[in-house]
Amino acid sequence: RILYFLVHQRYVLSPRGLDTVRRRFLYKAEVDPIFGKCPGLGCNGMPLLPYGASNDYNPSGSQDSRAKRYCASCEQVFYHWDSKVDGCAWGNSFCHLFLMEFYDELFSSWRSAAHALPTVKSIFGFSVALECHCCVQISAMNQNNSPGCA
């Protein structure tokens, strides 16, 4: 079980895994989002993303170690009572990496002006600015053969 969670985390952070989650999102986003909708009034039912507070497995199975949901509009992390999965299955980098890759494609219609208590956005422990799309667009880098941001 522990090995499955850690392999799942590695897979969803890969380009193929990100694309798999994107396709699932496109399939169900409008009708019934796969990870639920944000309960915040200002978010207009924005789809939530899975979020793990840690990349390491916690054998205690406490509420703090379980997977949570992250809203990109209000930047809040929500605890869902029905989650039985440890947060390490998604890790704390997935939702921010997913947003950097696919925000314009999937979430542009849910943009909100209300932002309260933002979470620290990080990928592999490094703080990131979501405005810098040029460093993470893998397909653009492969097409142009550019090493990244200039």
Side-chain angles (χ1 to χ4, degrees), residues 80-130:
H80 278 257
W81 295 102
D82 60 346
S83 179
K84 306 263 188 291
V85 176
D86 192 90
C88 75
W90 294 97
N92 54 11
S93 299
F94 169 75
C95 62
H96 304 302
L97 187 60
F98 188 80
L99 288 170
M100 290 178 78
E101 277 291 316
F102 305 115
Y103 185 83
D104 291 333
E105 178 183 353
L106 300 175
F107 299 103
S108 60
S109 62
W110 279 286
R111 290 194 178 151
S112 171
H115 294 286
L117 299 174
T119 57
V120 177
K121 297 169 186 68
S122 66
I123 296 177
F124 304 117
F126 296 99
S127 297
V128 295
L130 293 180

Side-chain angles (χ1 to χ4, degrees), residues 33-97:
I34 189 168
F35 301 110
K37 296 179 181 181
C38 182
L41 295 175
C43 296
N44 299 320
M46 179 151 186
L48 298 174
L49 291 171
Y51 175 79
S54 174
N55 291 330
D56 301 323
Y57 180 74
N58 186 347
S60 71
S62 67
Q63 292 179 357
D64 294 335
S65 68
R66 292 185 185 158
K68 297 168 180 57
R69 306 293 189 257
Y70 175 79
C71 176
S73 179
C74 63
E75 299 181 348
Q76 296 287 319
V77 175
F78 298 98
Y79 174 76
H80 278 257
W81 295 102
D82 60 346
S83 179
K84 306 263 188 291
V85 176
D86 192 90
C88 75
W90 294 97
N92 54 11
S93 299
F94 169 75
C95 62
H96 304 302
L97 187 60

Side-chain angles (χ1 to χ4, degrees), residues 11 14-25 98 102:
Y11 175 74
S14 71
R16 186 175 178 184
L18 288 168
D19 186 58
T20 301
V21 176
R22 178 192 65 85
R23 284 186 281 121
R24 286 291 305 244
F25 236 78
F98 188 80
F102 305 115

